[in-house]
Amino acid sequence: MNVYDFDKTIYPVDSTAQFYLWCLRRYPACRRTLPFTAWAFFCMGTRLKTKTKSKEIFYRFLRHVPPEAPQLFWQEHIGDIRPWYYAQRRPDDLVISASPEFLLEPAARMLEFALIASPVEQATGKYRGENCHGPEKVRRFRAAFPDGRIDRFYSDSHSDDPLAALAREAFLVKGERLLPWRES
C-alpha cells in the first residue's frame, strides 16, 4: 500500500486552516471565536499548552458550523488535490493525517482512500484521543494494519520520520516535486 500525509502533501495547503477561513466567510457566528483563535496560536507558539489543548481552543469555532459544512467545503475544494496524486493513486491508498477526521472523511469518500486522522468531535472541537502526529501516526497505523506493509510513503514534513522509516521507499513532497526522503 502507499501511505500519504494529507496537508501540504497531496493537498497543497493546510486543509484545517483553509476550512476555518471558509467557515468565517460562510458562518458569521464563527467570528465570535476570533479571540480564542488568537489565544490558541499564542499557546501553541509559546508551548503554554499542549498542541492538542491549543487545537481544542482553536476548534471552538466549530460550535457555530453546521454538520454538513465539511461536505460542502470539499465539494468546492476537491479539485485542488495535486495532479501527481491522481496519476499514481491506487485502490489501497491510505492517508494518515493530523487534521480532524470529520473534516477529511468527505475527501476520503470522494477520492476513495482509507483514512486515519485525529479524532475530533465536530460539534465541540474536543479530542476523543491523541492528535495523529509524529509517532502517533505509527501507533495508529499498526493498530489498524498490524501486518501492514508500506510500499511508498509521502509527506511534506520530517515530523513524519517515524512513518517514513517503515516504508520501503519514502518521498519528501516539495510542491510538485517528490524527493527521496533520505537525501532530503
Side-chain angles (χ1 to χ4, degrees):
M1 87 174 55
N2 289 340
V3 177
Y4 301 85
D5 178 43
F6 190 79
D7 295 327
K8 300 179 186 172
T9 300
I10 67 171
Y11 194 67
V13 297
D14 183 309
S15 60
T16 304
Q18 190 177 40
F19 178 68
Y20 172 67
L21 295 173
W22 183 87
C23 287
L24 284 177
R25 288 190 302 276
R26 278 158 190 77
Y27 311 111
C30 290
R31 296 178 193 149
R32 290 185 225 152
T33 66
L34 284 170
F36 293 103
T37 301
W39 177 244
F41 284 103
F42 175 78
C43 290
M44 209 175 306
T46 60
R47 296 192 172 137
L48 190 62
K49 294 190 180 286
T50 66
K51 185 179 250 189
T52 300
K53 290 296 178 192
S54 297
K55 284 184 171 187
E56 283 185 341
I57 295 167
F58 168 66
Y59 291 148
R60 290 177 81 117
F61 80 93
L62 293 169
R63 298 172 186 181
H64 306 286
V65 174
E68 66 275 9
Q71 180 69 33
L72 298 172
F73 172 80
W74 286 111
Q75 286 171 356
E76 290 181 27
H77 295 283
I78 201 69
D80 296 335
I81 296 292
R82 294 187 191 268
W84 64 261
Y85 172 71
Y86 284 112
Q88 69 182 37
R89 81 183 208 199
R90 296 176 9 183
D92 64 344
D93 283 348
L94 171 65
V95 167
I96 304 180
S97 177
S99 289
E101 193 175 59
F102 75 82
L103 177 58
L104 297 188
E105 281 174 341
R109 283 191 302 275
M110 291 173 177
L111 295 174
E112 299 176 335
F113 57 73
L115 176 66
I116 296 173
S118 293
V120 177
E121 278 295 328
Q122 182 178 348
T124 64
K126 297 288 184 188
Y127 276 78
R128 299 182 320 269
E130 292 298 315
N131 185 37
C132 190
H133 181 265
E136 180 65 13
K137 286 186 176 185
V138 172
R139 191 192 71 67
R140 301 271 309 274
F141 173 75
R142 288 286 180 225
F145 302 94
D147 299 320
R149 294 174 48 153
I150 301 173
D151 296 318
R152 291 182 189 90
F153 175 68
Y154 302 83
S155 176
D156 69 302
S157 172
H158 279 289
S159 68
D160 284 326
D161 282 344
L163 205 47
L166 299 180
R168 288 187 197 154
E169 286 185 279
F171 299 91
L172 193 67
V173 177
K174 296 293 181 188
E176 291 296 319
R177 295 181 13 226
L178 306 177
L179 308 171
W181 195 273
R182 285 148 194 48
E183 296 173 19
S184 54

